[in-house]
Every structure is written in C-alpha cells, then in structure tokens.
Amino acid sequence: MAIYIDSEAIRWRGRQWCHMVADTLEELHVFAARLGLERRWFQDRCRYPHYDVTMAVRSKALRMGAIDADRTMLIACCKRVRSQALSRHSQSILP
C-alpha cells in the first residue's frame, strides 16, 4: 500500500495545488487525517477520487513517506481505486 502525490502545481486561489491518491481509499483517508486534512476536502464527485493539497502539504506528505508520482502513475492508481470502489458498490447492492 502506498500514498502517491504529483507535482502539478496548479494555480488556484493564490496557491499552487497538486493531487494526492493512494492504493485504497481507506489508506488515503488515514494518511490525509495524519496530514491534518479534513475529510470534507476529499474530491469524490470527480472521475478519480483524490485530495487536492498545497505544495507545502505535498512537502510534508513526502517527508511522511508519500511517493512522488508522475501523471501516468497517479492515473493508474486512481483507476485501480475507482474500480475497487465500483466493485464494492455493485457487490453491496446484489441480493
């Protein structure tokens, strides 16, 4: 299991932001809480579940063991997590 974080540095509201994902949603939420992020900041209404974090939070995450990821690695991880979530959801609605 791992936490991945890119270095996109997207400018928004006077800051630079990047994306944080993980091998599982549970791991992502636990790591985000350790970083001091609020669960309500989780981006789950988009194609890929993630947290947007500032570059300062990115630096802290890397010091805590997150992996510096390129876009390809980040998207691959997001697709796996999304697939897992969809699979769990479909299993939960089966009779």
Side-chain angles (χ1 to χ4, degrees), residues 32-92:
R34 287 181 47 214
L35 280 171
L37 304 181
E38 294 184 26
R39 180 74 175 256
R40 66 186 174 95
W41 298 339
F42 177 60
Q43 303 289 314
D44 64 345
R45 292 190 176 103
C46 55
R47 188 168 180 169
Y48 299 113
H50 69 280
Y51 281 90
D52 290 331
V53 297
T54 63
M55 297 306 281
V57 172
R58 178 186 189 276
S59 294
K60 183 179 177 182
L62 291 172
R63 288 192 305 272
M64 291 171 57
I67 297 167
D68 184 13
D70 63 14
R71 187 167 181 80
T72 301
M73 184 185 293
L74 206 75
I75 290 172
C77 179
C78 289
K79 285 181 179 180
R80 284 191 307 271
V81 170
R82 186 169 183 254
S83 177
Q84 291 168 7
L86 291 173
S87 177
R88 284 188 204 141
H89 177 71
S90 66
Q91 289 174 359
S92 70

Side-chain angles (χ1 to χ4, degrees), residues 1 8-9 12 15 21 30 34 49 55 62 73 77 94:
M1 306 283 179
E8 287 290 313
W12 187 66
R15 293 186 179 181
V21 301
V30 167
R34 287 181 47 214
M55 297 306 281
L62 291 172
M73 184 185 293
C77 179
L94 291 175

